[in-house]
Amino acid sequence: MTMTSTFRHITVLLEEAVDALGVRPDGCYLDGTFGRGGHSRLILEQLNERGHLLGFDKDPLAIATGQALMAEDPRFTIVQRSFAELGQAVTEQGLQGRIAGVLLDLGVSSPQLDDPERGFSFLNDGPLDMRMNPGLGQSAADWIASADEEEIARVFKDYGEERFARRMAKAIVQRRAEKPFTRTADLAAVITEANPAWEKGKNPATRAFQGLRIHINNELGDLEQGLEAALDVLEVGGRLVVISFHSLEDRIVKQFMRRQAKGEADTLPRDLPIIPKAFEPRLKLLGKPQYASEAEVRANPRSRSAVMRVAEKLR
């Protein structure tokens, strides 16, 4: 696959997210979704020579950008792994117990969406791939060719929240018997035709493509693992900042933070005189969810669905 890096990425909630980290000049921070380095560069501006930033990304083009930054700045290290594996990477880097803040900017980046060769877009025809790391795992084309009708419907419904998932899955299975799907425009056309009720202002293939992308990249599974790992690597007083872009992501983040902020004391007998430390809250919620400003949404419409949640580690 030939990939280009000419597609522009606008970092969402840039200053708000870095402000929420409360960057300490000599602290060690982790950007779990490096992308094109918008958040990372602003964090580095606030670090002194003793500070360090560890960046993660699956995407080879993001890694190339990160390697160029690493060559310029010895305070930065880039790792080509999912943030779900951040615990192992922190240990390998000898940084366990030293992470003062973790930032996760979820979802797919603008360069991934805008480059037809990546296969994420239903608007521009390209190979049906959708992998954030094209060198690992099963492509969307391979999965669509092998999954049964019930599994396709489940992915569209559970991850895309598509109410016509069964109709779309049936249409896909019928068509692939004649000719396999290899291009995004071909799949989008079949899904669109199977959608009997188009939503105003939304492409009929939007939800199904979202569900397929989330499944191919195990985005929700990675998020659940990454949140647990982030809590483990943070030092006491460290911040966890997460930006979500759709309700499935935000629900996982919200429930995780609330659960960790509540603790498990209510599972113990009421007459227990002392609550064991293991049952006390591990996080403190900081402020209300934040959203992109009207000015940011005007400048970057993709920011309109962004939700940022912040918490601080207590123990």
Side-chain angles (χ1 to χ4, degrees):
M1 177 186 294
T2 301
M3 292 185 291
T4 63
S5 57
T6 57
F7 298 92
R8 184 174 176 230
H9 178 67
I10 303 173
T11 305
V12 174
L13 291 167
L14 173 59
E15 293 184 358
E16 293 89 340
V18 176
D19 284 348
L21 280 175
V23 177
R24 194 176 70 238
D26 63 348
C28 183
Y29 293 85
L30 194 154
D31 183 349
T33 46
F34 177 77
R36 293 304 181 268
H39 288 119
S40 284
R41 287 185 176 86
L42 188 54
I43 293 169
L44 286 167
E45 285 180 14
Q46 300 182 25
L47 296 178
N48 62 26
E49 67 279 358
R50 295 189 302 277
H52 195 80
L53 176 63
L54 184 62
F56 287 72
D57 213 292
K58 297 179 181 181
D59 191 305
L61 287 178
I63 294 300
T65 302
Q67 287 171 338
L69 179 58
M70 190 164 63
E72 299 170 7
D73 195 330
R75 302 171 304 165
F76 177 69
T77 305
I78 189 73
V79 180
Q80 187 173 13
R81 293 165 87 162
S82 165
F83 60 72
E85 303 174 75
L86 65 86
Q88 300 96 297
V90 165
T91 299
E92 290 165 10
Q93 296 288 329
L95 298 172
Q96 56 269 54
R98 291 175 51 200
I99 304 299
V102 175
L103 171 63
L104 303 177
D105 180 6
L106 305 174
V108 64
S109 70
S110 294
Q112 289 169 331
L113 283 172
D114 294 338
D115 185 352
E117 292 300 306
R118 302 304 303 274
F120 288 99
S121 177
F122 44 79
L123 298 175
N124 301 300
D125 187 35
L128 185 58
D129 193 307
M130 290 196 185
R131 289 172 292 177
M132 291 182 181
N133 182 351
L136 289 178
Q138 188 178 38
S139 71
D142 289 342
W143 185 79
I144 284 289
S146 59
D148 62 32
E149 183 177 323
E150 185 175 337
E151 177 69 358
I152 295 171
R154 183 192 68 80
V155 165
F156 288 176
K157 181 176 185 294
D158 290 354
Y159 300 150
E161 300 178 294
E162 173 53 70
R163 62 189 175 123
F164 300 112
R166 289 194 174 278
R167 293 175 65 124
M168 293 173 178
K170 183 176 181 180
I172 287 169
V173 170
Q174 288 178 342
R175 214 313 295 278
R176 79 181 183 191
E178 304 165 13
K179 178 187 174 185
F181 290 94
T182 61
R183 309 287 296 182
T184 56
D186 186 20
L187 179 62
V190 171
I191 290 173
T192 295
E193 189 174 347
N195 189 331
W198 296 10
E199 298 174 62
K200 186 176 181 181
K202 188 183 287 285
N203 187 289
T206 300
R207 295 182 183 277
F209 265 62
Q210 173 187 294
L212 182 54
R213 187 203 82 218
I214 288 173
H215 173 73
I216 290 298
N217 293 288
N218 189 35
E219 292 178 35
L220 302 186
D222 277 8
L223 176 57
E224 289 172 345
Q225 291 180 48
L227 290 170
E228 294 283 357
L231 182 53
D232 287 340
V233 303
L234 280 171
E235 62 185 29
V236 173
R239 299 277 181 90
L240 174 60
V241 179
V242 188
I243 303 172
S244 307
F245 287 86
H246 58 74
S247 59
L248 296 176
E249 291 174 339
D250 186 52
R251 191 177 306 137
I252 290 172
V253 176
K254 178 173 66 175
Q255 290 176 351
F256 173 81
M257 287 186 173
R258 285 183 176 176
R259 187 169 64 250
Q260 296 296 339
K262 182 180 179 184
E264 299 179 72
D266 58 354
T267 65
L268 297 170
R270 291 187 178 182
D271 57 352
L272 201 68
I274 299 174
I275 297 173
K277 197 171 186 64
F279 290 84
E280 293 176 358
R282 297 188 69 195
L283 284 177
K284 176 174 69 174
L285 305 182
L286 298 182
K288 296 180 179 179
Q290 287 185 247
Y291 304 89
S293 66
E294 291 182 11
E296 181 169 4
V297 172
R298 283 197 300 270
N300 179 19
R302 285 176 180 163
S303 68
R304 68 184 177 275
S305 58
V307 184
M308 185 175 76
R309 296 181 185 272
V310 185
E312 183 176 296
K313 184 169 179 176
L314 295 174
R315 63 173 181 87

